[in-house]
Amino acid sequence: MSKFIDYLKTKSFRNNILAAVITVVLLLLIAFFSLRYYTKHGQGLNVPMVKGLSFDQAVKKLEDVGLKYEVDSVFILDQPAGIVIDQDPDPNTFVKDNRTIYLTINAGKTPNTKFPDIAFKTLREAQAIIESSRLKLGDTTYKPDVSKDVVLEASFGGSAIAAGDIIPVGSRINLVLGDGRGSQEVDVPQLVGLTVDEAKFSLKGSNLSLGDIIYEGNIIDSANAVITKQDPMPADSVTKVAIGTRINITLSNKEQ
């Protein structure tokens, strides 16, 4: 142990330690500067703004600063054809030279799409389906039908259109919807001989309502009393009435 301690005190040991430290420092410096050179630390480019430019203008601007590019295309109806609508990385981003910039170009030709099946869908459902197919909802009109806000007809360019028809993306689709009221007029039901409850059921099915009730004679049991007259009566001159019309009835304990 004493010999080892004596060796630590020698000049030879100190020289060896110094040489080892210098070697380690040199290796670290070589590694540091090599890494800086490899990554070109402190050197690079700011990505130019090319959004909104034509494709040719964008390519020239990128090539002038030493950047590569790749192109994808989409179609946006309200944007000019051949215009750069997006870029990645964003403008003024610091990148290495020769970096690839990804451009998204608005396609020059309007693509087509299949018209979706929206028959008998509600307006809200139909609108969601239309927009998901890259179409637009146009005008909506109503016509008498028992279904309310349900698609009865669809048209494009003034012509009827059906599921599967091919139309341009972005087309406006006009819809005809049910108004929920059915026909403007309905047949007058025959109520004579029915009880009040039976008459109410019949009137409800015809979208009519019960009007005044006139009692004929001494009504002992109104639940079993039957209708002997109604106004209006179903006749050759009056066969239909407007939806919601009140039908007046006369009740009697004895069926006429």
Side-chain angles (χ1 to χ4, degrees):
M1 176 63 71
S2 61
K3 290 182 178 181
F4 178 71
I5 292 174
D6 291 339
Y7 173 70
L8 295 179
K9 296 177 180 180
T10 64
K11 184 177 180 181
S12 175
F13 173 74
R14 291 194 297 273
N15 290 338
N16 288 336
I17 290 295
L18 180 61
V21 171
I22 292 173
T23 300
V24 170
V25 171
L26 287 174
L27 289 174
L28 291 174
L29 290 173
I30 291 171
F32 176 74
F33 285 107
S34 295
L35 184 62
R36 285 171 61 91
Y37 176 79
Y38 178 75
T39 60
K40 298 181 180 180
H41 183 72
Q43 301 179 24
L45 301 168
N46 280 331
V47 178
M49 164 69 84
V50 296
K51 290 172 63 174
L53 300 180
S54 69
F55 176 67
D56 291 340
Q57 291 173 329
V59 168
K60 185 178 186 306
K61 199 167 185 178
L62 293 175
E63 289 179 342
D64 286 346
V65 295
L67 295 171
K68 298 185 295 183
Y69 62 90
E70 289 187 12
V71 181
D72 191 12
S73 64
V74 296
F75 177 76
I76 301 178
L77 183 65
D78 300 328
Q79 295 288 339
I83 296 297
V84 178
I85 59 174
D86 197 12
Q87 68 178 88
D88 182 27
D90 292 329
N92 299 318
T93 302
F94 185 80
V95 298
K96 301 296 183 292
D97 58 0
N98 212 35
R99 166 74 183 271
T100 297
I101 307 301
Y102 298 92
L103 305 178
T104 302
I105 309 298
N106 191 31
K109 182 180 178 181
T110 305
N112 291 327
T113 186
K114 285 186 177 181
F115 184 65
D117 185 4
I118 59 172
F120 304 111
K121 303 289 187 183
T122 65
L123 176 59
R124 180 176 296 180
E125 292 172 332
Q127 182 173 3
I129 295 172
I130 286 172
E131 292 176 353
S132 68
S133 298
R134 296 187 294 169
L135 301 171
K136 294 184 177 181
L137 179 63
D139 296 330
T140 56
T141 56
Y142 289 84
K143 77 174 187 179
D145 190 86
V146 294
S147 302
K148 182 174 177 58
D149 288 331
V150 169
V151 177
L152 303 178
E153 301 171 18
S155 63
F156 162 65
S159 300
I161 187 171
D165 289 349
I166 304 299
I167 57 175
V169 166
S171 299
R172 297 177 67 86
I173 307 301
N174 299 325
L175 302 179
V176 177
L177 309 172
D179 61 6
R181 294 182 295 172
S183 300
Q184 295 297 317
E185 293 186 333
V186 294
D187 293 328
V188 178
Q190 177 61 261
L191 303 180
V192 174
L194 302 181
T195 64
V196 173
D197 288 340
E198 291 171 337
K200 288 179 179 178
F201 182 80
S202 178
L203 291 171
K204 184 177 181 180
S206 299
N207 287 320
L208 301 173
S209 59
L210 182 63
D212 297 331
I213 301 177
I214 300 172
Y215 296 95
E216 185 178 65
N218 186 22
I219 304 299
I220 301 173
D221 185 358
S222 60
N224 291 320
V226 296
I227 298 171
T228 57
K229 298 176 185 177
Q230 68 180 80
D231 180 29
M233 289 282 291
D236 292 339
S237 59
V238 181
T239 60
K240 292 182 178 294
V241 292
I243 289 174
T245 298
R246 291 163 55 88
I247 307 298
N248 302 321
I249 60 173
T250 301
L251 282 179
S252 173
N253 278 329
K254 182 178 179 181
E255 184 176 354
Q256 301 296 315

